[in-house]
Structure formats: structure tokens, C-alpha cells
């Protein structure tokens, strides 16, 4: 008999993963609807998958809601996924939660957490493939290569209640959790949820990449102020924007940032190759009022 005693390791190793979320090529709910994505983990970046059980906890990110807006995360709320078993006894953990955008975000907290878990994991895998790997000081609980420091998966708070109309990433040195806070936005009615907009999450995750790569993984203090801080913001917008480039796009494309949650471009001008569309130059830094 082998039907009911099963080690956790075997169970995890054989688990397939399904997410009903906004897929990678959809920026926000304005561009399309959630779709089922089957086992999206990259096998080089996340060789054991994204999920270690039946909730939004994995080697790269722990995602949970945080309406209280405080610091603890281990015991915060996370949705429970269904486990399906097919004819060959193959198990799949399925994160499929309702999304009703006519309601306030508190009506779709489960979806929000699952979406944030998906997008942060995608960012982890993409960054890994481009060199932000374990040796470079990335965010993982277990570093399978033995290089770099582990125990530092991203702690990602969906619907964080500590403030509104923004997002945040706190990046301590390698070996300590990066903390991502996605807030709600009251610039529209009903309110909108930053976890549902890919460029916001990508922008915040890129703060983790740039903080760990500038000065090395043990020195996360190089980009905290002044011009260095401005460069960090620019890099984060650049990565978030590059992810939106499609084969059909040309140099005439203009890109806004935060268009879903903020309701319009959150920057003063869209990113553009046209000086008529975006007249900003380095000389604008001479303006005391300039604050982007
Ligand atoms: Zn930023």
C-alpha cells in the first residue's frame, strides 16, 4: 500500500502549478482578463517550482495580505489553493480566485495575493536568467547552488494598509528578506489595487535588483538619496517599461507608468523618443521645483 503515506518532499516534487491570473503579457485589467497559466516557473531559475505547499509561500516570495500595514508576515492571511488529481494521479495546485472589479479590492484579496505571487515570481525568474542569480545576491530562501546567502525570499504584502497611492520595496543586504508593499489606490472609484498592475510590481522588484547589484549584495545602501536615488527610480521605470515592449512596437511608442492604479500617467511625461512628447533633459535638474 502506498496510497496514503507520502512524504512532503515527494508531494512537492511532483506538484504541478496552475494560476488563474493576469498573464505576463497583460499589463493590467484594462488590457485583458485573467487566464489559467500552467506551471509557469522557469526550470533553471526555479528548479523546484514556485510553490512549496498549497498557498502563496515559495522559495522566491511569500505573498500575503496586510490590511493592518504592520511588519509581521509569517502568520498573515494567504489564500488556500485547490489540489486537483488527474487520471494518472498527477496533482496540481490551482490558484483560481474570483476577481470582480466592480467591487472594492477587499472583495478580491485572494486574487490579489495570487497575482502578486505570480508577478514577483516571474520577476525573480527573469532577473535570474539575466544574471541576478544566487551568487549575485538574489532573493531566495534556499540557494540551490550554495552560493550567496539564502533565507531572504521577498516578503510581498498585497493590499498593505500602512498607506495608499504608492508602492514600496525595502532591500536590505543579501540574507535578509526584501519587503514589498503594494498599497491600494483611491484615485478611482471603486479603488484599485497595485498588485494588479505589472509595471508597479516590476518597478518595485527592480529596486531590489538595483540595490543588491550596486555596491554588491552585502551593501544595499548605495541608492538611497539624491541623484543615486533618482537613477534607481529611472532604472525601475526602465525595466517595467521594457517588459511592455511587443514585437509590433516601434520607436514612436509612448509609455505611461501606473496608468491603471493612478488612472493616468503617474510621471509628468510619458517615456518617449520624441522631445515634443517628453521634453525633459538633464538640465531640468537645475529647477528647484522639479520633482519627478
Ligand atoms: Zn521607485
Amino acid at each position: 500500500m502506498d496510497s496514503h503515506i507520502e512524504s512532503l518532499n515527494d508531494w512537492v516534487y511532483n506538484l504541478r502549478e496552475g494560476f488563474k491570473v493576469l498573464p505576463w503579457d497583460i499589463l493590467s485589467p484594462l488590457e485583458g482578463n485573467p487566464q489559467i497559466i500552467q506551471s509557469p516557473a522557469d526550470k533553471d531559475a526555479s528548479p523546484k517550482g514556485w510553490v512549496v505547499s498549497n498557498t502563496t509561500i515559495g522559495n522566491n516570495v511569500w505573498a500575503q495580505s496586510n490590511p493592518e500595514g504592520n511588519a509581521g508576515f509569517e502568520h498573515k492571511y494567504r489564500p488556500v489553493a485547490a489540489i486537483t488529481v488527474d487520471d494518472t494521479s498527477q496533482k496540481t495546485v490551482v490558484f483560481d480566485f474570483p476577481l470582480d472589479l466592480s467591487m472594492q479590492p477587499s472583495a478580491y484579496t485572494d486574487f490579489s495575493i495570487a497575482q502578486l505571487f505570480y508577478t514577483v515570481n516571474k520577476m525573480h525568474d527573469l532577473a535570474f536568467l539575466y544574471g541576478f542569480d544566487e551568487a549575485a545576491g538574489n532573493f531566495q530562501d534556499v540557494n540551490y547552488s550554495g552560493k550567496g546567502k539564502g533565507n531572504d525570499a521577498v516578503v510581498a504584502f498585497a493590499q498593505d494598509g500602512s498607506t495608499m497611492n504608492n508602492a514600496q520595496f525595502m532591500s536590505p543586504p543579501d540574507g535578509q528578506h526584501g519587503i514589498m508593499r503594494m498599497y491600494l489606490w483611491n484615485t478611482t472609484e471603486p479603488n484599485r489595487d497595485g498588485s494588479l498592475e505589472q509595471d508597479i510590481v516590476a518597478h518595485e522588484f527592480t529596486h531590489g535588483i538595483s540595490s543588491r547589484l550596486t555596491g554588491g549584495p552585502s551593501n544595499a545602501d548605495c541608492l538611497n538619496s539624491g541623484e543615486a536615488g533618482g537613477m534607481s527610480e529611472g532604472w525601475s521605470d526602465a525595466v517595467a517599461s521594457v517588459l511592455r515592449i511587443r514585437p509590433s512596437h516601434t520607436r514612436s511608442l509612448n509609455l505611461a507608468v501606473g496608468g491603471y492604479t493612478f488612472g493616468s500617467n503617474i510621471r509628468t511625461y510619458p517615456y518617449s523618443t520624441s522631445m515634443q512628447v517628453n521634453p525633459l533633459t538633464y538640465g531640468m535638474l537645475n529647477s528647484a521645483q522639479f520633482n519627478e
Side-chain angles (χ1 to χ4, degrees), residues 204-220:
E204 297 308 328
F205 189 90
T206 303
H207 279 310
I209 301 173
S210 58
S211 294
R212 291 265 175 98
L213 291 183
T214 307
S218 297
N219 180 0

Side-chain angles (χ1 to χ4, degrees), residues 149-168:
K149 294 182 180 173
N151 300 311
D152 65 348
V154 170
V155 171
F157 292 120
Q159 302 185 357
D160 188 285
S162 55
T163 187
M164 297 194 82
N165 302 330
N166 210 333
Q168 189 188 64

